[in-house]
């Protein structure tokens, strides 16, 4: 599910895209070599190490507002039968450009919101605008999405919960580990500024994963 900024509820959710208020059906091309396919959510998407930045003082009120929206989108994904992940792309001026949530429930394990953002940005935005934009997400990018983010030339990433947190949560829930080694963002894309997690929002994300497997 992909939405424009602050799109209203439109009833039953189907696979559709909304960009700045217009419904479209598009195929996006990501420049550079294709990233590997890595499942999100039930297979885990992080290691047990420490994420790049875990200082809550790095997250300001504007960041928190966008992260809360990501958690809302993750809840929408869960309600639609997918893994609970949601992401938002925000311009340097603070405008929400693009929203998406996870859509792997249909069988395509590459349908991650962060990957959708990277492809849309590569197709739509100028390089300077991509570099100045921020991606907010309910969960730290998996390696596939980190690579897509870097190839698209996007800027800062801010996440509510880290890959190491997710890995621990899923292990506690008895979920099998990923067949692909999960890596923190900066091990895949070392030049990307990264901030997160946020403790109370991470707990809300954890609860969504519990509900998914209840």
């Amino acid at each position: 599910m992909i939405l424009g900024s602050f799109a209203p509820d439109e009833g039953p959710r189907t696979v559709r895209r909304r960009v700045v208020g217009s419904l479209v059906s598009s195929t996006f091309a990501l420049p550079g070599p294709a990233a590997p396919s890595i499942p999100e959510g039930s297979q885990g998407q992080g290691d047990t190490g420490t994420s790049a930045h875990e200082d809550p003082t790095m997250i300001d009120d504007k960041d928190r507002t966008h992260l809360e929206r990501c958690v809302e989108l993750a809840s929408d994904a869960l309600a639609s039968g997918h893994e609970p992940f949601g992401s938002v792309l925000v311009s340097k001026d603070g405008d929400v450009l693009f929203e998406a949530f996870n859509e792997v429930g249909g069988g395509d394990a590459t349908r991650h919101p962060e990957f959708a953002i990277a492809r849309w940005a590569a197709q739509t935005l100028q390089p300077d605008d991509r570099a100045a934009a921020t991606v907010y997400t309910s969960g730290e990018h998996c390696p596939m999405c980190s690579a897509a983010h870097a190839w698209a030339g996007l800027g800062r990433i801010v996440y509510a919960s880290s890959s190491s947190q997710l890995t621990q949560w899923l292990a506690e829930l008895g979920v099998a580990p990923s067949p692909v080694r999960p890596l923190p963002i900066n091990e895949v894309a070392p030049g990307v500024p990264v901030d997160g997690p946020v403790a109370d929002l991470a707990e809300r994300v954890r609860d969504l994963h519990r509900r998914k497997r209840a």
Side-chain angles (χ1 to χ4, degrees), residues 1-3 17 28-31 35-42 44-46 66-67 69-71 73-75 77 82-90 97-104 108-123 125 130 133-163 166 169 183-185 188-189 192 194-195 205 208-209:
M1 181 65 179
I2 300 174
L3 301 166
R17 288 167 167 75
F28 300 117
L30 178 68
S37 297
I38 299 170
E40 181 175 26
S42 62
Q45 56 176 30
H66 294 306
L67 288 175
R69 175 58 180 156
C70 293
V71 177
L73 289 167
S75 181
H82 307 293
E83 292 289 337
F85 296 89
S87 305
V88 177
L89 177 64
V90 178
L97 301 175
F98 197 79
E99 294 183 341
F101 64 55
N102 179 287
E103 293 183 21
V104 303
D108 182 352
T110 69
R111 297 292 298 275
H112 299 193
E114 305 91 347
F115 194 57
I117 283 175
R119 294 196 298 180
W120 180 85
Q123 183 73 23
L125 302 179
R130 296 199 297 268
T134 299
V135 174
Y136 295 89
T137 187
S138 61
E140 184 177 2
H141 289 40
C142 72
M144 175 185 73
C145 296
S146 297
H149 182 101
W151 281 120
L154 287 163
R156 179 180 177 230
I157 295 172
V158 186
Y159 53 80
S161 60
S162 70
S163 293
L166 178 64
W169 300 339
L183 299 169
I185 291 168
V188 179
V192 176
V194 178
D195 289 307
V205 173
L208 293 175
H209 287 285

Side-chain angles (χ1 to χ4, degrees), residues 6-20:
F6 307 109
D9 188 358
E10 297 175 336
R13 297 183 182 277
T14 58
V15 177
R16 62 182 184 233
R17 288 167 167 75
R18 181 180 291 279
V19 181
V20 194

Side-chain angles (χ1 to χ4, degrees), residues 166-189:
L166 178 64
T167 299
Q168 180 180 344
W169 300 339
L170 295 183
E172 290 170 354
L173 291 168
V175 177
S178 172
V180 177
R181 182 182 179 186
L183 299 169
I185 291 168
N186 284 146
E187 287 195 24
V188 179

Side-chain angles (χ1 to χ4, degrees), residues 49-58 159 162 164-165 194-197:
T50 301
S51 298
H53 299 283
E54 297 193 4
D55 181 357
T57 63
M58 301 295 291
Y159 53 80
S162 70
S164 58
Q165 288 174 317
V194 178
D195 289 307

